[in-house]
Every structure is written in structure tokens, then in C-alpha cells.
Amino acid sequence: EGKMKITPGIAEIVGIYIGDGHIYRKDNKFQIGFTGNPITDLELFERLKELIKKEFDKDINFKIRARGLRTAFRSKIVSNLLVNELGLTYGKGKSERVIIPEKIASDWDLARHTIRGIMDTDGSVFVSKKPRIEKYPSMEITTNSFNLANQLRTILENQGFRMGNIRKSISKMSKNPCYRVSLYGKENVRKWLNEIGFSNKYKRNRYYKTPDNWRQ
């Protein structure tokens, strides 16, 4: 098992993992799984299926169970890549501790694919009201990991995005703190489209359903 080269495709899988993935390691079992929303994540899971086939030569199928979209595959090599080589957290507390691995975070050509994967899973695109502006384009990533929120803000700021402050709120369901990384305004959103984009068609369509004056 040599070291695996981190490709843009693997970087995108890492982003989807950060948002929606889990790893189960016990005895000699190594399972990598993803859960999503059957309405909003269907195209994203089709994309994930293609990426996993291309990067790891594994065939996955997904099932819709109890209102959730689920898929999983077994691979010691992939599990070792994600956990041992990249240092991704897994297991209990994963979502509070997870960050973008340094190997990816320090290389924008990889990081943008990971950030796209995070937006595709944990992001939202919406119109907010601002004083004197009726419809203000907005994008937001919500995470339970304070360190990930800081990291996203720093990486995007270094690439010339205008970033707002991280906002903390308490989740009504889990009572855990979550952190919101926001991008506001036409230029920011347009820059995102040009430099990062979306693989989740639902999120992309949310953008295209927004008022026309954003997109000129």
C-alpha cells in the first residue's frame, strides 16, 4: 500500500465526508458510509457514486431508508487513506472535531474541491433582507466544528472572498453549538460560482432560482 496521491476527486469526497460521512473501524472491518437527504442530495449521491468508482474502483449503491439516503462500502485502503494519511476524525464527536486535512487545506487547487463538497452537504443558498436591499444573495455553511468554521473562513478570505464574522447558535434539536460561515453579496456569490461551484444540483438550482440581478 503506497501513499495515495490526493486528486481533486478525492478532495471532493473528503468534503462530502466532512459534511455527511462516517467511518466505522472495528477489529478488521473498515466501512465508509454517507447519509443524506433523499430530496436534496440525490444528484450529489450520483456524483459521489461516480467519484468513488473513479478514485477507488468501488461500486456503491444507495438506499432510501426511513427518510434518509444511505450508502456505504468497505475498504481498508480507503479507510487508512482518510484516517491515517489525512488524519480525518471519525467515530463519536467527529462532527465537533473535524477539519480539512492540512495536505488539502494548504493547496487551493485541492481545497476548493473539498470546500465544494462541504457546501454541497452542509451549505445553504438563500436570499436575505438587508437595509435598503430587498433581496440580498447569501450562502452559508453550518458546522458543529468551531475549528472547521475558522479554517473555512481563513482559506476563503485568503482567496479574496469577503467574509463575515462566524456566527454561533445553539441547535434546537441537539442543543449543540453550531457555527455559521457566511458569504453575502453578488460579487461573492459570483466568485464562488466561477472558482468553486456546486456538484449538488439542488443547491445550484437554488442559486438559479434567485433574483436575476445577481447573475448579470
Side-chain angles (χ1 to χ4, degrees):
E1 290 175 40
K3 288 226 182 287
M4 207 177 275
K5 183 181 185 304
I6 308 300
T7 61
I10 289 175
E12 188 171 345
I13 293 169
V14 166
I16 299 170
Y17 170 81
I18 286 172
D20 277 350
H22 57 270
I23 293 171
Y24 175 78
R25 297 175 82 169
K26 195 176 176 190
D27 304 330
N28 219 15
K29 287 198 185 105
F30 302 87
Q31 187 170 293
I32 299 99
F34 298 86
T35 50
N37 178 316
I39 296 162
T40 59
D41 293 335
L42 206 53
E43 284 97 347
L44 181 64
F45 271 56
E46 292 285 0
R47 164 90 177 150
L48 181 63
K49 185 176 178 165
E50 283 169 24
L51 284 170
I52 286 170
K53 179 67 180 166
K54 178 173 170 257
E55 300 295 342
F56 304 134
D57 200 23
K58 290 273 178 190
D59 293 297
I60 61 165
N61 289 307
F62 37 89
K63 301 184 187 81
I64 296 177
R65 268 204 216 126
R67 301 194 306 279
L69 196 55
R70 297 172 186 283
T71 186
F73 66 98
R74 287 186 176 173
S75 169
K76 187 175 178 179
I77 290 174
V78 176
S79 166
N80 283 342
L81 167 76
L82 297 177
V83 175
N84 301 353
E85 268 188 60
L86 289 176
L88 280 165
T89 59
Y90 68 100
K92 198 168 163 50
K94 169 244 170 184
S95 62
E96 287 80 24
R97 298 194 322 268
V98 74
I99 58 167
I100 300 171
E102 188 48 40
K103 267 184 196 173
I104 293 174
S106 56
D107 179 347
W108 173 242
D109 282 334
L110 293 174
R112 65 195 180 93
H113 295 279
T114 298
I115 292 171
R116 184 196 308 140
I118 297 171
M119 174 60 85
D120 281 335
T121 50
D122 283 347
S124 53
V125 181
F126 57 97
V127 174
S128 57
K129 289 191 170 184
K130 285 264 173 184
R132 299 187 304 285
I133 306 173
E134 184 54 31
K135 297 190 167 108
Y136 196 67
S138 306
M139 293 169 71
E140 195 167 78
I141 291 171
T142 305
T143 174
N144 296 118
S145 168
F146 178 67
N147 289 337
L148 176 63
N150 264 323
Q151 198 184 25
L152 284 166
R153 189 174 180 274
T154 303
I155 292 171
L156 290 168
E157 207 163 49
N158 288 344
Q159 288 303 317
F161 287 91
R162 279 198 339 276
M163 304 302 295
N165 289 329
I166 294 168
R167 298 194 332 281
K168 179 181 177 180
S169 58
I170 302 293
S171 155
K172 285 188 185 74
M173 279 165 61
S174 66
K175 304 283 186 275
N176 290 335
C178 56
Y179 305 92
R180 297 175 191 280
V181 183
S182 306
L183 296 123
Y184 296 118
K186 236 183 335 201
E187 281 71 31
N188 256 340
V189 176
R190 206 175 288 140
K191 184 173 164 66
W192 182 286
L193 231 80
N194 290 335
E195 296 178 28
I196 300 171
F198 298 93
S199 288
N200 186 333
K201 287 197 182 107
Y202 178 84
K203 301 269 159 84
R204 191 185 315 139
N205 291 344
R206 292 271 305 178
Y207 169 76
Y208 283 113
K209 283 181 183 134
T210 53
D212 289 338
N213 61 347
W214 293 25
R215 299 196 303 273
Q216 286 159 14

